[in-house]
Amino acid sequence: MLDWKMDFTWEILPRLLLAAGNTMLAAGGGYAVAVVLGLVFALAQRTRSRTLTFIVRELVEFIRSTPLLLQIFFIFYVGPQFGLRLSPWAAGLIAIGLHYAAYLSEVYRGGIENVPKGQWEAARAINLSTVTTYRRIIIPQALPPALAGMGNYLVGIFKDTPMLSVIGVAELMHTANSIGAENFRYLEPYTIVGLIFLAISLPTAWLIRRFETALRRKMGLTR
Amino acid sequence: MKHDKRHDLSQYPLRLEGDNVPMVRFQNVTKRYGSLTVLDGLNLDVAEGEMVTIIGPSGSGKTTVLRMLMTLETIDSGVIYVDGEPLTHMEKNGRLVRANAAHLRLIRSKIGMCFQHFNLFPHMTALGNCIEGPMQVLGLSKQEAEERALELLDLVGMADKRDQHPSRLSGGQQQRVAIARALAMRPKVMLFDEVTSALDPEVISEVTGVIRGLVDQHNLTMLMVTHQIGFAREISDRICLFFDGKIEEQGSPEMLLDNPQNERTQQFLSAVLEAN
Ligand SMILES: Nc1ncnc2c1ncn2[C@@H]1O[C@H](COP(=O)(O)OP(=O)(O)O)[C@@H](O)[C@H]1O
Ligand SMILES: [Mg+2]
């Protein structure tokens, strides 16, 4: 019924696994950018400067309301006109990192706003500086509830890495396409790509949930 | 408005000097929320080592008095002095100007506060709560901070719970840890805002007992808001009755509670006594 070729499968598997490494690198790198930049976006919207808050707020809105694919193309193909000449990898990581930073900043903001006002007041009553208050009191409490959202976006960024294939990053999708075009066979490469995605996404989501529970317990946030 | 304020400030001393400088002085302090005037030209001195209790109906501005002193609220006019220095303002070129963050931090270090709902840091143990400020703000080593914290946890009877997170502690226990946390910063003034209001009746004495001990042991200046008239009578040097953002009547517990001069005071007291 299905014309699945086992020897072809074995032949292309190493190449695909190698590409899976690239996919994870792209997802991990992009996520690292997003995690840090997202926090910057979130905190920038909480400063006393109305101008800064406004600019960052609008930037986040803009990023969230335009397609990632467009942002990737824009940075890679239009960037050079502004003197920004980037490799596919660099452009890809910046685009995907920036995109997810916008989403993560909302997750952080939600987490931070969920910390009761009394925590800020107690921190002030023992005279902690603003930076120390964030670092020691607010962010540790904002983290566990934000973790679920952060985990979703980690899986999300991972699933979005195929978009980087359009600018030539040799990740899974790109490699599967090449294999398909070279051999005129798409069934095996695409199926394997799907399975690899599944094999990474599912345990990641599970691990994040475990991590969240463990973190809450360690912090004494559950009874 | 702005002009008024600048003009106003010239009437206030740059610092309080001489004998009998109060530990805390509210001088003509007004606080508004929008169009609502919560405190109207408040004048209140608290002497060093004095225990002053504020009572009064809900919404009369009691909490606001403490929150302004803790710098959790800004004030709209007047000046607050702590230990002779202006808190809400600072001296610049021989005049008072609004305090900047650094000045607020400097003067705020003399004040500690306990809240109705404890506000312990839930992700830290009892000990962790008490060493956080000393380590981060006072620059104590972990060992020094822990030694001091343990002494204080012992003082409030919570030394054996040092490694528990707040979620594992009862309300009375949490409040006692909160008192230790505040004391660990070595404040000169302690503020208590209805610290027993959120507690079950049977554990109230755990907390009042600790506060009573502070009156005896430390030469702390204390400003307390409470609805527990009996407790207030027992430990206060002076009781102030607030009404609509003003001190309606004040005096020694005996004077105010047994022989109130003012009709509204009498009404409030009989209402409270009835409720108890
Ligand atoms: N953040 C705020 N915004 C607006 N109104 C407030 C705020 N805080 C307190 N108030 C009002 O100020 C008045 C005094 O409040 P408060 O000092 O808490 O009174 P008390 O502690 O005596 O019950 C009340 O009418 C209250 O509603
Ligand atoms: Mg109150």
Side-chain angles (χ1 to χ4, degrees):
Chain A
M1 191 181 60
L2 257 185
D3 175 31
W4 180 281
K5 288 204 168 135
M6 223 45 214
D7 50 346
F8 182 56
T9 305
W10 292 121
E11 189 190 320
I12 63 173
L13 194 58
R15 225 175 126 188
L16 284 172
L17 287 177
L18 218 62
N22 275 349
T23 286
M24 296 212 302
L25 208 64
Y31 195 64
V33 173
V35 162
V36 175
L37 204 59
L39 189 60
V40 173
F41 284 173
L43 295 180
Q45 290 178 64
R46 295 185 57 93
T47 57
R48 244 168 266 152
S49 160
R50 292 233 178 123
T51 328
L52 185 62
T53 302
F54 177 78
I55 291 172
V56 175
R57 172 89 247 135
E58 292 302 306
L59 179 66
V60 166
E61 269 314 305
F62 174 75
I63 294 173
R64 276 157 37 105
S65 16
T66 51
L68 172 58
L69 197 57
L70 177 68
Q71 291 162 13
I72 294 170
F73 276 134
F74 205 87
I75 290 180
F76 188 65
Y77 291 114
V78 185
Q81 296 199 6
F82 297 96
L84 193 70
R85 214 167 292 280
L86 296 167
S87 71
W89 268 97
L93 288 192
I94 289 175
I96 215 165
L98 202 64
H99 187 79
Y100 275 90
Y103 282 96
L104 280 180
S105 74
E106 293 296 300
V107 172
Y108 293 142
R109 251 162 44 96
I112 290 172
E113 277 162 19
N114 252 328
V115 177
K117 213 167 119 258
Q119 293 291 305
W120 290 95
E121 297 181 349
R124 178 167 292 185
I126 59 167
N127 220 358
L128 299 185
S129 68
T130 305
V131 172
T132 307
T133 302
Y134 270 113
R135 191 169 56 81
R136 300 280 308 168
I137 310 298
I138 304 303
I139 291 177
Q141 292 183 67
L143 199 58
L147 223 52
M150 290 177 73
N152 287 342
Y153 286 126
L154 174 59
V155 174
I157 212 168
F158 175 65
K159 290 195 299 182
D160 273 353
T161 48
M163 290 196 203
L164 298 182
S165 65
V166 298
I167 54 170
V169 173
E171 47 66 65
L172 263 175
M173 201 61 207
H174 190 266
T175 306
N177 282 337
S178 307
I179 291 174
E182 286 160 19
N183 301 277
F184 306 107
R185 289 195 64 89
Y186 289 92
L187 172 66
E188 291 85 354
Y190 284 164
T191 308
I192 296 171
V193 166
L195 289 175
I196 292 177
F197 267 99
L198 213 61
I200 298 174
S201 290
L202 287 182
T204 306
W206 182 79
L207 275 175
I208 290 163
R209 277 198 301 276
R210 285 288 301 270
F211 181 59
E212 185 189 348
T213 316
L215 190 68
R216 276 182 194 276
R217 190 164 305 135
K218 183 170 170 287
M219 286 181 160
L221 295 177
T222 44
R223 219 170 245 280
Chain B
M1 184 70 195
K2 254 205 171 108
H3 178 78
D4 271 9
K5 244 183 236 168
R6 190 163 300 168
H7 182 70
D8 255 349
L9 283 173
S10 63
Q11 309 165 0
Y12 296 87
L14 297 177
R15 59 169 43 79
L16 308 180
E17 279 159 331
D19 302 335
N20 296 325
V21 170
M23 182 52 75
V24 174
R25 167 169 289 176
F26 293 85
Q27 191 166 342
N28 203 17
V29 172
T30 296
K31 171 69 187 171
R32 293 187 201 91
Y33 289 112
S35 61
L36 177 73
T37 300
V38 177
L39 290 165
D40 194 5
L42 173 70
N43 288 298
L44 175 64
D45 279 8
V46 183
E48 185 169 6
E50 195 181 13
M51 169 59 143
V52 172
T53 298
I54 298 175
I55 61 174
S58 172
S60 58
K62 307 180 297 294
T63 294
T64 305
V65 173
L66 301 193
R67 290 174 58 84
M68 292 187 314
L69 188 50
M70 193 66 257
T71 70
L72 299 175
E73 303 287 349
T74 56
I75 66 175
D76 292 298
S77 66
V79 177
I80 302 176
Y81 297 87
V82 173
D83 207 5
E85 307 265 2
L87 163 75
T88 49
H89 296 76
M90 59 188 200
E91 186 188 332
K92 195 174 173 190
N93 304 327
R95 308 189 316 173
L96 285 181
V97 297
R98 241 171 211 288
N100 60 21
H103 180 82
L104 286 173
R105 255 197 116 197
L106 184 71
I107 308 296
R108 185 195 293 137
S109 67
K110 300 183 183 196
I111 304 166
M113 181 164 180
C114 294
F115 302 87
Q116 182 174 351
H117 296 288
F118 334 126
N119 299 355
L120 287 179
F121 305 131
H123 57 303
M124 297 178 179
T125 61
L127 187 66
N129 268 275
C130 297
I131 63 174
E132 189 62 19
M135 285 178 67
Q136 300 288 346
V137 179
L138 306 181
L140 265 59
S141 72
K142 186 159 192 212
Q143 196 196 341
E144 290 170 308
E146 286 190 347
E147 272 171 27
R148 178 191 292 199
L150 278 173
E151 261 170 47
L152 290 165
L153 284 174
D154 196 39
L155 179 79
V156 300
M158 289 296 293
D160 56 330
K161 302 278 190 199
R162 50 182 284 188
D163 296 323
Q164 299 290 345
H165 281 90
S167 61
R168 300 230 165 231
L169 301 176
S170 72
Q173 292 174 327
Q174 290 188 55
Q175 194 60 287
R176 286 186 280 152
V177 173
I179 294 173
R181 173 177 71 181
L183 290 174
M185 299 304 288
R186 301 256 159 99
K188 293 188 155 190
V189 184
M190 274 288 280
L191 312 177
F192 298 96
D193 188 15
E194 291 197 37
V195 290
T196 58
S197 290
L199 301 181
D200 293 330
E202 66 271 18
V203 299
I204 286 179
S205 62
E206 288 177 14
V207 173
T208 52
V210 167
I211 296 175
R212 193 178 290 122
L214 294 180
V215 176
D216 302 338
Q217 292 188 19
H218 296 246
N219 195 28
L220 265 179
T221 305
M222 292 193 261
L223 203 47
M224 174 172 87
V225 173
T226 187
H227 291 299
Q228 291 187 278
I229 304 292
F231 180 54
R233 174 198 292 274
E234 193 190 323
I235 69 163
S236 309
D237 296 309
R238 179 156 48 111
I239 300 181
C240 298
L241 183 100
F242 269 68
F243 243 110
D244 291 341
K246 287 200 180 95
I247 299 179
E248 183 81 10
E249 191 171 342
Q250 60 177 316
S252 69
E254 296 75 31
M255 263 170 61
L256 188 94
L257 299 178
D258 298 334
N259 194 14
Q261 299 301 306
N262 188 304
E263 195 180 329
R264 288 217 281 189
T265 311
Q266 290 162 8
Q267 279 169 1
F268 174 75
L269 289 175
S270 59
V272 168
L273 290 178
E274 223 164 88
N276 283 358

